[in-house]
């Protein structure tokens, strides 16, 4: 069977050990999640497998010469090309043949020699050269970029480039996929499409780095955890099963370690007791036996991240009200008829990328004016805003200086105490932000925001780039935060934990809905009206729902959702 045999003794960069011993086999149809804390070397591992990094100690054996499709940060060499031309380049052999045919056509005109030309045409037909354009359009429709095909790459946004790069990889039909954060910067519908494509259509294997837990649960059946210099740990099952098994392994390892420490302490006490007396020979014998014991390392506990969100006084009940508003930049983008954000609500803004959800956030922050209509912000409203682009951070400055730029004039010792809650050490304070990973920058921004009191959190993709434990810590902090939360996210796990209401941007209008991602999916699958609540404020069944679904089905979902909500 075709497979990759991966053996890495070690990999160092700038005299620092990035990866320790990594030794495992990947079969052609394996579906593997690569997990681990921010900065442990997950992307490095994929680049070594793809042979983009060669200066490591070890070997990568590609048995069967499998072709590897690699999705990483998006870079296009020639941004003047149209999207259609870029996608056509996925068919490298056909494109090369086209150039050869064009050259032979010139020779044919000059000399009349047609044998080589005929041969190339036959090859072109055999490789489906006359129909591969249809495949480009088919995948472009699937992934939602058909309308971009004639645009130059210079005119498409970052999230659209992610889709284009993904489409190009799928068109190239590699034997095995290496996907580094494929769900970052694409909208929820595209995540669901990719998930379904990998589950139902893709017939081969892949390795995926992703912080989308729901996505990993549905697409991967083996988990490889990268553990810095300690190498890797392998788990069988999906992400949720990995979490459970990791906890069991930790508890078992800690128990064995503590039992051994107790044994060692007892033996050492016994040896010291008899060392100077007539039983010295006995003590020496016990000491030799003790030296033969293989010492266990203390199991490394996952990083204990603690987000600190400072709450100020309660604001008025109506936080922000919209009435007959047009949200816009250069031209009207969408309309808000009559929506109010109330105190203590936790609202998820949902809509495809390109409907300008982030523009809505900047509008309610007064950074972008309304085109028309009325928006009112209530008294005593204090907003803490998190942007996925990290605009507030000055990358040329150190972490310490970024706090000072925000008016937080703390000493090194005090600042080290704050940042310690986010996994940083005292020695990190002088690091320039430009040297930090995106996940570390996210934690730094939250550390700064946490020092400013607020009663409303406005969050634009807050979990992007954060590792799993950090996301859990953020979710817990937001759940404990007594204020109002308004957020954009395509992390379904996060949405299910946090959201109580939804603002749905669709067909150039924003409407109010109720519940979280599960509620949204339930309504969508059953063609229910988005603006109806599954339950009223006392969690009783909405009578309209009972009329639509029937008493038995209404009772079933009432038990399912009401129990979860309490």
């Amino acid at each position: 069977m075709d497979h990759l045999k991966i053996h890495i003794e070690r990999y160092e960069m700038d005299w620092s050990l990035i990866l320790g011993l990594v030794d495992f086999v990947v079969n052609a149809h394996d579906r593997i999640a690569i997990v681990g804390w921010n900065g442990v070397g997950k992307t490095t591992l994929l680049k070594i497998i793809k042979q983009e990094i060669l200066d490591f100690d070890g070997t990568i054996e590609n048995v069967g010469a499998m072709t590897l499709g690699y999705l990483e940060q998006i870079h296009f060499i020639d941004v003047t090309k149209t999207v259609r031309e870029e996608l056509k380049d996925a068919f490298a052999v056909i494109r090369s043949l086209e150039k050869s045919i064009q050259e032979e056509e010139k020779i044919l005109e000059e000399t009349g020699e047609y044998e080589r030309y005929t041969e190339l045409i036959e090859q072109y037909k055999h490789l489906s050269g006359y129909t591969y354009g249809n495949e480009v359009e088919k995948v472009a429709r699937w992934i939602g970029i058909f309308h971009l095909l004639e645009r130059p790459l210079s005119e498409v946004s970052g999230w659209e480039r992610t889709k284009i790069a993904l489409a190009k990889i799928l068109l190239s039909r590699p034997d095995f996929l290496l996907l580094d954060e494929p769900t970052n910067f694409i909208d929820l519908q595209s995540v669901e499409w990719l998930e379904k494509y990998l589950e139902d259509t893709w017939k081969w294997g892949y390795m995926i780095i992703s912080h989308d837990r729901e996505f990993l649960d549905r697409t991967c059946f083996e988990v490889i955890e990268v553990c810095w210099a300690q190498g890797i740990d392998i788990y069988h099952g999906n992400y949720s099963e990995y979490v459970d098994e990791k906890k069991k392994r930790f508890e078992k390892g800690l128990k064995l370690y503590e039992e051994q420490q107790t044994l060692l302490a007892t033996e050492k006490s016994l040896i010291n007791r008899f060392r100077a007396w007539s039983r010295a020979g006995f003590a020496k014998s016990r000491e030799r036996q003790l030296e033969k014991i293989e010492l266990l390392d203390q199991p490394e506990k996952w990083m204990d991240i603690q987000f600190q969100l400072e709450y100020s006084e309660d604001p008025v009940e109506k936080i922000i009200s919209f009435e007959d508003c047009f949200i816009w930049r250069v031209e009207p983008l969408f309309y808000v008829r009559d929506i109010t954000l109330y105190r203590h609500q936790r609202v998820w803004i949902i809509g495809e990328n390109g409907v300008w959800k982030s523009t809505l956030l900047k509008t309610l922050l007064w950074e972008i004016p309304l085109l028309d209509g009325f928006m009112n912000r209530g008294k005593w409203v204090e907003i803490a805003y998190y942007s996925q682009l990290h605009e507030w951070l000055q990358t040329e400055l150190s972490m310490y200086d970024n706090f000072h730029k925000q008016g937080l004039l703390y000493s090194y010792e005090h600042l080290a105490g704050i940042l310690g809650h986010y996994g940083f050490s005292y020695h990190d304070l002088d690091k320039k932000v430009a040297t930090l990973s995106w996940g570390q920058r996210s934690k730094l921004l939250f550390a700064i925001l946490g020092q400013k009191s607020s009663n409303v959190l406005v969050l634009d993709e807050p979990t992007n780039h954060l590792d799993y434990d950090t996301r859990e810590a953020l979710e817990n902090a937001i759940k404990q935060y007594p204020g109002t939360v308004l957020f954009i996210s395509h992390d379904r796990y996060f949405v299910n934990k946090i959201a109580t209401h939804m603002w749905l941007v669709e067909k150039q209008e924003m409407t109010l809905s109720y519940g979280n991602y599960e509620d949204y999916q339930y309504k969508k699958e059953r063609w229910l009206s988005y603006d109806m609540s599954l339950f009223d404020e006392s969690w009783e069944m909405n009578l309209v729902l009972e009329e639509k679904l029937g008493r038995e089905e209404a009772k079933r979902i009432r038990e399912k959702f009401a129990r979860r909500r309490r």
Side-chain angles (χ1 to χ4, degrees), residues 308-313 382-386 392-393 401-410 414 418 422 444-458 481:
Q308 300 172 319
L309 300 172
E310 187 70 29
Y311 184 72
S312 60
E313 63 180 346
E382 296 179 64
I383 295 176
Y385 171 56
Y386 173 89
W392 288 5
L393 296 179
D401 289 336
N402 266 276
F403 268 82
H404 278 232
K405 279 288 183 180
Q406 294 297 323
L408 303 170
L409 307 179
Y410 300 147
H414 183 57
I418 293 171
Y422 298 86
L444 172 60
L445 184 53
F446 270 115
I448 292 173
L449 291 179
Q451 299 306 302
K452 300 180 179 182
S453 62
S454 66
N455 45 39
V456 179
L457 295 178
V458 176
Y481 180 76

Side-chain angles (χ1 to χ4, degrees), residues 389-441:
L389 299 178
H390 306 154
E391 298 102 324
W392 288 5
L393 296 179
Q394 298 190 33
T395 57
E396 75 282 1
L397 298 180
S398 68
M399 296 171 65
Y400 176 84
D401 289 336
N402 266 276
F403 268 82
H404 278 232
K405 279 288 183 180
Q406 294 297 323
L408 303 170
L409 307 179
Y410 300 147
S411 67
Y412 267 80
E413 289 73 18
H414 183 57
L415 189 52
I418 293 171
L419 288 173
H421 291 291
Y422 298 86
F424 295 105
S425 70
Y426 185 92
H427 302 291
D428 293 326
L429 298 183
D430 289 325
K431 286 184 178 178
K432 288 187 177 181
V433 172
T435 68
L436 303 179
S437 71
W438 283 100
Q440 290 170 322
R441 294 184 196 191

